[in-house]
Amino acid sequence: MLIKKASEIPSSEITPKQSYQNRRQFILTAAAGAGLVAGGWALKKLTEPEDEVSAGVKLAHNKSSLSTNETPNSLRDITHYNNFYEFGTDKEDPAANAGSLRTRPWTVAVEGHVSKPKVYDIDALIKMFPLEERIYRLRCVEAWSMVIPWLGFPFGDFIKMLEPTSKAKFVQLVTLYNPEQMPGQKDRVLDWPYVEGLRLDEAMHPLTILAVGLYGEVLPNQNGAPIRLVVPWKYGFKSIKSVVKIRFVEQMPEATWNKMQPSEYGFYSNVNPTVDHPRWSQATERRIGEFRRRPTLMFNGYADQVASLYTGMDLRANF
Amino acid sequence: MKPISWLKIAVFFASLGPLARLLWRYHQNDLTANPIEFITHSTGLTALIFLLITLGITPLRRITRQYWLIQLRRMLGLFAFFYACLHLATYVVLDHYFDWDRMIADVYKRPYITAGFTAFVLLVPLAITSTSGWVRRLGGRRWQMLHRLIYVSTALAVVHFLWLVKADIREPATYGVVLAVLLGYRLVRWLLSRTQQASGAAAQTQQG
């Protein structure tokens, strides 16, 4: 392991104090509760730093008033605890296997009911919009959550520029299909390529962003490089990674999990503590780095901003 | 000491290996970003593997004719119970922190938890009656009948795992295949012995 001097470690690589405190609390409770470990030994271990995470390329960005002021999870946790089945089904697989993904050259094809269908080069696309830091809560359908400082731009700004026609009611996004670069695609665990979709008004909501960075730097491969969707009031699987295609369509589009198991994964997938997943209660969640579960908030705490999108809808039927 | 005693001691310490590995990873701060989930999965999988190893003893001793292997079975079964206890304790203490209402709702509402909890409950009488005293008290035949509950418990443990995963069922399915082989062996033997009994009875009838 490369030992860095303290001055060389960017602040983004240092686990936030809060996480350490939580971790300390967790481990102490674990030790006491399960009687696993002698206390003194536990305390000593807690103060040792975690492994380094390699630094990426810095991206210029502005702060956003839409960010939460909650403390973000560490870069280490955000980059080493991922669901990204294209690189394996274990949480640590993406960090181990995503190195084979080549993010340049990369294009994003815009198709369907827009005035200007076009194939965009990723670097040109990133330069078209000023980047903002959006610190969002992320709630996984598996009942864990994180706080993540994304860098990105509002999807709505891009969509307005594309001038969707009156036929565009939904937008579908598609992940790269390339089993050589994405070894998990060699197994038919899911129906590749991964697809997801939003209603047009959801896609244009100011909270919905296309993210290209994390913690001030270029997005790591395992987090969906070079460009991914982030919809903070929906379960994480809705926020499709490594996007190569954006399609404007008239009918509700296919979405991978929804198609595979419609009884468990709805098209909307709004975070909703009152509608359980058959396997997980959605009432509570574990914030990564914390010991006790916390109550899950309606629309992941973004109800004030997004509830109006669903006025009159039965969120049990349209879960 | 007899060689078998040494072997028992070796198996005992080997069986503590998965727990030692957990403690070591904890010591290395290597329990992933979600340590509670990691401990839950790790102890659960270890319990399932010990159940399958325990079920493997009988076929193995018959096929290899190493009949002394039976002397390891009780310990292996008790280790299965030990890891199942750790698994349940992780769920109760670390995951839900004694939130009984929530856990009761889980057992009631979520099929995979219902299956897992039932698998655990069925192991409790087996662990209690694992002593030689209990074998005597119940009588060998009744004791054996009772301990066939391990078939049900292990099957439920596999189902518990299978219903937990979202899409990639390869790992639980592998354990399901192992279980099917272990139970299939018993089924075949039982059918064969029935056929033999029947033909034996038929032979007796002819003689008479």
Side-chain angles (χ1 to χ4, degrees):
Chain A
M1 196 180 89
L2 178 67
I3 312 280
K4 288 185 175 182
K5 274 179 275 179
S7 60
E8 290 173 355
I9 303 174
S11 62
S12 60
E13 290 183 16
I14 296 170
T15 304
K17 194 179 166 198
Q18 183 74 35
S19 299
Y20 262 119
Q21 288 170 338
N22 290 334
R23 187 171 288 263
R24 175 173 298 209
Q25 190 200 7
F26 154 66
I27 294 190
L28 280 178
T29 319
L36 288 177
V37 177
W41 182 54
L43 268 170
K44 178 178 151 284
K45 285 294 124 196
L46 283 173
T47 48
E48 291 179 4
E50 297 180 320
D51 291 348
E52 299 296 327
V53 175
S54 70
V57 180
K58 300 266 181 234
L59 290 172
H61 60 273
N62 307 312
K63 302 273 176 213
S64 168
S65 59
L66 293 169
S67 287
T68 170
N69 53 17
E70 288 174 78
T71 310
N73 282 88
S74 69
L75 182 61
R76 166 88 199 177
D77 283 353
I78 294 169
T79 54
H80 287 73
Y81 194 76
N82 311 89
N83 278 325
F84 198 172
Y85 280 18
E86 280 78 350
F87 298 109
T89 52
D90 284 344
K91 297 282 189 298
E92 295 188 307
D93 286 344
N97 301 332
S100 52
L101 177 67
R102 291 191 300 274
T103 57
R104 296 293 185 285
W106 188 280
T107 56
V108 179
V110 176
E111 300 175 353
H113 299 300
V114 285
S115 318
K116 303 169 181 170
K118 193 182 158 182
V119 177
Y120 290 87
D121 176 71
I122 185 71
D123 292 311
L125 181 59
I126 291 173
K127 281 186 195 121
M128 285 159 63
F129 305 94
L131 297 184
E132 294 175 25
E133 182 174 70
R134 294 282 183 95
I135 305 172
Y136 282 160
R137 291 178 290 276
L138 174 117
R139 170 63 157 80
C140 179
V141 71
E142 298 164 352
W144 55 267
S145 64
M146 287 190 184
V147 177
I148 304 181
W150 303 107
L151 299 187
F153 56 89
F155 193 14
D157 291 354
F158 185 33
I159 293 175
K160 273 175 222 153
M161 199 198 77
L162 296 168
E163 295 175 17
T165 69
S166 61
K167 278 189 167 174
K169 300 283 191 286
F170 292 89
V171 54
Q172 184 185 42
L173 297 95
V174 185
T175 297
L176 176 70
Y177 177 70
N178 187 324
E180 292 306 308
Q181 293 183 44
M182 295 181 144
Q185 290 177 334
K186 289 173 184 162
D187 302 317
R188 304 295 310 171
V189 175
L190 290 176
D191 192 10
W192 315 115
Y194 196 96
V195 291
E196 257 304 342
L198 296 170
R199 219 169 51 196
L200 192 64
D201 57 343
E202 296 179 316
M204 297 187 72
H205 190 278
L207 283 174
T208 307
I209 60 167
L210 290 173
V212 297
L214 179 64
Y215 258 122
E217 295 172 352
V218 164
L219 202 58
N221 285 1
Q222 61 266 39
N223 293 90
I227 187 164
R228 66 168 292 168
L229 183 70
V230 176
V231 195
W233 70 93
K234 292 178 181 287
Y235 293 119
F237 68 88
K238 204 74 191 161
S239 293
I240 184 171
K241 303 183 178 91
S242 302
V243 173
V244 292
K245 198 175 284 183
I246 302 173
R247 211 182 265 150
F248 289 81
V249 295
E250 200 169 357
Q251 305 295 328
M252 184 182 281
E254 253 183 15
T256 297
W257 284 102
N258 176 229
K259 194 177 85 173
M260 196 181 85
Q261 198 65 265
S263 62
E264 297 189 8
Y265 305 93
F267 176 80
Y268 286 96
S269 307
N270 291 313
V271 175
N272 188 337
T274 67
V275 178
D276 280 348
H277 182 282
R279 279 177 269 192
W280 299 284
S281 162
Q282 298 297 11
T284 60
E285 67 199 50
R286 171 161 300 105
R287 176 72 50 83
I288 296 298
E290 291 182 355
F291 174 62
R292 297 287 294 272
R293 285 170 178 261
R294 53 165 72 206
T296 287
L297 304 173
M298 189 64 202
F299 294 114
N300 202 21
Y302 298 96
D304 288 348
Q305 292 105 307
V306 302
S308 60
L309 290 171
Y310 309 101
T311 309
M313 275 174 75
D314 177 0
L315 294 177
R316 285 192 170 273
N318 299 287
F319 62 95
Chain B
M1 251 196 266
K2 284 186 288 181
I4 187 69
S5 311
W6 286 110
L7 187 73
K8 269 188 159 173
I9 292 166
V11 170
F12 179 84
F13 282 103
S15 301
L16 285 172
L19 178 63
R21 174 176 161 272
L22 257 186
L23 292 173
W24 174 250
R25 287 188 63 147
Y26 166 71
H27 178 72
Q28 297 292 309
N29 205 358
D30 186 27
L31 291 180
T32 79
N34 196 345
I36 295 175
E37 184 192 69
F38 184 84
I39 296 168
T40 306
H41 289 175
S42 169
T43 51
L45 185 59
T46 307
L48 175 58
I49 290 172
F50 270 96
L51 283 172
L52 292 169
I53 293 174
T54 307
L55 283 178
I57 290 289
T58 293
L60 190 67
R61 66 193 274 266
R62 290 220 177 97
I63 291 165
T64 61
R65 298 182 186 281
Q66 302 295 314
Y67 295 104
W68 54 269
L69 281 168
I70 193 71
Q71 297 181 55
L72 298 174
R73 192 172 64 177
R74 170 163 54 193
M75 185 166 66
L76 292 165
L78 283 171
F79 265 109
F81 184 68
F82 170 67
Y83 283 106
C85 286
L86 286 183
H87 182 59
L88 183 67
T90 309
Y91 172 79
V92 171
V93 182
L94 300 185
D95 196 3
H96 285 78
Y97 204 72
F98 306 105
D99 187 346
W100 300 109
D101 292 347
R102 192 80 72 201
M103 286 186 283
I104 290 164
D106 258 1
V107 171
Y108 176 69
K109 274 179 77 173
R110 275 168 245 302
Y112 90 93
I113 293 183
T114 316
F117 186 70
T118 311
F120 177 82
V121 168
L122 293 182
L123 287 180
V124 173
L126 308 197
I128 291 172
T129 60
S130 65
T131 60
S132 307
W134 269 102
V135 180
R136 270 198 309 276
R137 235 170 293 172
L138 286 170
R141 203 176 173 80
R142 272 196 299 174
W143 184 90
Q144 202 177 15
M145 287 294 285
L146 175 68
H147 279 248
R148 288 202 176 118
L149 278 178
I150 191 177
Y151 303 160
V152 185
S153 183
T154 311
L156 285 169
V158 170
V159 168
H160 172 61
F161 191 3
L162 196 68
W163 282 348
L164 166 70
V165 299
K166 288 201 299 186
D168 187 0
I169 63 158
R170 287 171 296 183
E171 198 184 350
T174 305
Y175 292 106
V177 169
V178 173
L179 176 67
V181 169
L182 293 173
L183 294 186
Y185 170 86
R186 288 166 168 83
L187 183 68
V188 169
R189 268 189 66 95
W190 180 72
L191 288 173
L192 283 176
S193 72
R194 259 178 55 130
T195 318
Q196 276 166 6
Q197 273 174 13
S199 59
Q204 278 184 354
T205 316
Q206 274 183 351
Q207 277 175 0

